Amino acid sequence: MVVDSRASVSLRAPARLHLGFLDPGASLGRRFGSLGLVIEGFETEVELSAAPSARVSASDGIGPCEIERAQRWLEVLQQRSGCADPLHLRLLQVLPDHAGFGSGTQMALAIARAFAQWHRLDIPTTRLAQWLGRGLRSGIGIAGFDQGGLLVDGGPGVDGEPAPVLSRVPLPEAWRVLVVQDRGQKGLSGAEERRRIEALPPMPREQAADICHQVLMRILPGAAAGEFAPFAAGVTQVQRVLGEYFAPAQGGHAFASAAVARVIEWIGAAEPGAALGQSSWGPTGFTILPSQAGAQALLDGLQAARVAAPTVAMRIVAGRNTGALLQDRRP
């Protein structure tokens, strides 16, 4: 078999911050619903090319768990599509796993979309996600992969269909996100995540209604009109309600990481008008600010005050209003 080593398909998929569920207790009969934001600065990148025999390789620093998952997903794609030509899948970079960035969904969809492109298959991202078992609670990662932006989904259907996207608003270009990541800790996932969610009591309808009201009348219109104050107040209130609700599943705390909590509390005192919270189960926290200059001044203040523990990394990024980037290098 003659293989053209120059022919390849690569894909770069962005991270997302999960800003919260709308109604985790299904007070109106439909569970979850999500608010999320796609961000720059953190990506998964994969590359597919023809090979004499199938194999998966990875750049330095990517562990065997990611390689095993990638191999499993590639086999599922081959089985579901009927396209079994041997391929070389390279994991060039991956998002930190179980850190609130949507790493599993983004890697799965990056592989799936590159695979579909390689075989010239016209398959919607939602179908690829179903094949690989993604989007069981939230549709933010799937929609963010396709579109980027600030997104709201309506929760998964009872028949297992991925959550429909209800709204997509581009984040104003000037706004910035300070990502606060505890690299020494991982968030909940898998069976333990399911167990802790199921152990929680239903969220009171009044709290779910407050979250939905904040999203509909503060967060979305604030982003759409470039009005930062109501947007930030809405995000912080949503995070406050959800932090109290999920605290029993996080050792009694609104933040999974005590080190991240210290940073966010300091920011809350220094910048009371900022949007504050934790992405998904953490341990990553965030603050959203209206400008690069404001974000940089805040970061400088944090570093001068030496608030962050050695395991905490802080980085200023922009919102991302586009989805994954695909490159087909075949003749």
Side-chain angles (χ1 to χ4, degrees), residues 39-183:
I39 59 171
E40 296 278 11
F42 298 86
E43 289 186 328
T44 283
E45 183 177 6
V46 305
E47 183 181 75
L48 272 179
S49 58
S53 59
R55 68 188 182 104
V56 177
S57 63
S59 300
D60 292 345
I62 298 176
C65 291
E66 284 84 0
I67 294 173
E68 289 172 12
R69 282 200 297 176
Q71 180 66 57
R72 184 169 66 251
W73 285 331
L74 190 56
E75 291 171 357
V76 171
L77 290 165
Q78 289 173 326
Q79 292 165 4
R80 296 300 295 264
S81 69
C83 300
D85 295 343
L87 294 171
H88 179 194
L89 170 61
R90 298 177 182 88
L91 304 180
L92 302 178
Q93 61 177 323
V94 297
L95 293 165
D97 62 328
H98 311 314
F101 293 116
S103 60
T105 293
Q106 296 310 302
M107 186 166 77
L109 294 181
I111 294 169
R113 179 53 64 206
F115 180 90
Q117 178 69 19
W118 181 267
H119 294 288
R120 296 183 169 87
L121 302 173
D122 185 15
I123 303 174
T125 303
T126 51
R127 177 63 57 82
L128 295 172
Q130 282 184 298
W131 284 4
L132 300 181
R134 311 309 303 179
L136 299 180
R137 293 191 187 91
S138 170
I140 295 300
I142 300 169
F145 179 89
D146 278 342
Q147 306 177 61
L150 178 69
L151 299 151
V152 178
D153 75 55
V158 294
D159 56 358
E161 288 290 322
V165 178
L166 305 182
S167 176
R168 182 214 175 256
V169 175
L171 198 75
E173 295 291 338
W175 295 5
R176 291 293 182 267
V177 183
L178 177 61
V179 177
V180 184
Q181 180 189 358
D182 188 345
R183 293 178 173 173

